[in-house]
Amino acid sequence: MSAAHDGTGRAARRRFATLGRSVALFRAFLVEQSDPDHFYGLLAQDSVRQVSGYVPLAGRTVLDVGGGPGYFAAAFRAAGARYVGLDPDVGDFSAAGDSVAGMLRGSGTALPVRSGGVDVTFSSNVLEHVAEPTRMLDEMVRVTRPGGVLFVSFTPWLSPWGGHETAPWHYLGGDRARRRYERRNGRPPKNRFRETLHPTSIAQTLRWARGNPEVELLDALPRYHPWWGRWVIRIPGVREVASWNLLLVLRRTGAEPGGAAEKTELAGGRVAM
């Protein structure tokens, strides 16, 4: 990232992170279950704008770890990026009407991607669903080229939405919240405590970022807050609840290679650059 882009990007990020934008995202969140196309489409566009405030996307290869139903594919490609989505179930991509071309099936903790093979690694609300979150983070670092950028967001366990559909009862314990959900709905929740949903904290993730010599921490902020609400990240304890969702922006350390990245090719289940 050039100094010029960093300076203009900082101003753009502040103009982008308005109260109106936060309200729009919250309203869309309220209809996530009934109108997922609206919510995830808006979130994808918002995420691409947020990423673009740190790194130009045109011509860059983006790996989306946990791409899910593919809502992010169109948004990243519209920004000029070469998008590769990865998910344990490639069939999920069809939910957004997208082709599985350019998509990979694989685990976030064992990415089927060559080391240093992508310019940008991105993951939206996946880390809390991984039993070994630091292992997934290490894998994202491995596949990012020196000078490349990583964007990782997740919902902390103590966030008001930390229990996902069992919230806010997760504050009384994940197992208790799960049992309550089953009694009221006659079925287990999709996000099951310590099976498909794990208690991940901001403190734990920041310790990993600050202690990893292979990355430089560029930013840590509440993903959906207006720019003047960033202060909550600086207060231990408070940030676990008040941030709602953490976004980490990291740069892969090492010498940045010159020239543009080569075109992505899918070969033998791995991404070759």
Side-chain angles (χ1 to χ4, degrees):
M1 187 191 321
S2 68
H5 183 270
D6 185 51
T8 57
R10 188 179 299 111
R13 293 194 293 270
R14 180 167 290 198
R15 291 194 301 269
F16 159 67
T18 64
L19 179 61
R21 170 246 183 191
S22 298
V23 171
L25 287 170
F26 178 73
R27 287 176 174 170
F29 175 76
L30 295 177
V31 298
E32 177 192 7
Q33 299 297 318
S34 60
D35 191 0
D37 287 350
H38 172 64
F39 171 70
Y40 287 106
L42 180 64
L43 182 61
Q45 294 174 14
D46 182 86
S47 298
V48 169
R49 287 184 64 191
Q50 202 163 43
V51 172
S52 298
Y54 293 88
V55 59
L57 287 171
R60 305 294 176 98
T61 299
V62 176
L63 175 67
D64 182 2
V65 180
Y71 290 98
F72 290 88
F76 274 107
R77 287 169 180 161
R82 293 189 291 268
Y83 175 91
V84 180
L86 179 139
D87 200 87
D89 185 1
V90 172
D92 284 348
F93 288 113
S94 62
D98 202 44
S99 167
V100 296
M103 308 299 181
L104 294 174
R105 180 177 181 178
S107 168
T109 57
L111 295 173
V113 178
R114 170 185 150 189
S115 297
V118 299
D119 301 301
V120 177
T121 49
F122 174 85
S123 181
S124 175
N125 297 323
V126 174
L127 203 65
E128 69 267 34
H129 302 290
V130 177
E132 300 176 275
T134 56
R135 184 175 173 186
M136 175 174 146
L137 292 168
D138 287 338
E139 276 290 275
M140 291 180 67
V141 173
R142 178 184 65 79
V143 303
T144 306
R145 67 169 177 80
V149 183
L150 298 84
F151 294 81
V152 184
S153 77
F154 70 94
T155 304
W157 177 246
L158 293 180
S159 159
W161 189 241
H164 287 46
E165 67 267 47
T166 68
W169 302 100
H170 68 293
Y171 284 126
L172 301 179
D175 290 323
R176 179 179 294 181
R178 174 179 176 172
R179 291 193 297 269
R180 180 184 182 278
Y181 183 94
E182 291 181 1
R183 287 196 305 270
R184 293 178 65 88
N185 295 279
R187 65 182 188 278
K190 175 183 177 181
N191 297 286
R192 300 178 301 279
F193 182 63
R194 294 198 184 279
E195 291 183 21
T196 57
L197 180 64
H198 302 273
T200 305
S201 73
I202 292 176
Q204 170 192 12
T205 310
L206 286 177
R207 280 196 301 271
W208 170 87
R210 290 167 176 158
N212 190 327
E214 295 187 281
V215 294
E216 173 191 0
L217 180 60
L218 300 180
D219 228 338
L221 63 151
R223 181 181 183 185
Y224 306 128
H225 287 28
W227 66 266
W228 41 263
R230 294 170 55 118
W231 61 269
V232 300
I233 295 297
R234 297 196 294 268
I235 305 178
V238 171
R239 64 192 176 200
E240 303 289 346
V241 179
S243 65
W244 193 282
N245 190 282
L246 176 72
L247 172 64
L248 279 183
V249 186
L250 307 157
R251 180 188 287 125
R252 179 75 153 87
T253 56
E256 184 170 358
E262 298 175 12
K263 184 178 179 180
T264 300
E265 296 178 358
L266 301 182
R270 300 182 68 85
V271 178
M273 312 288 170

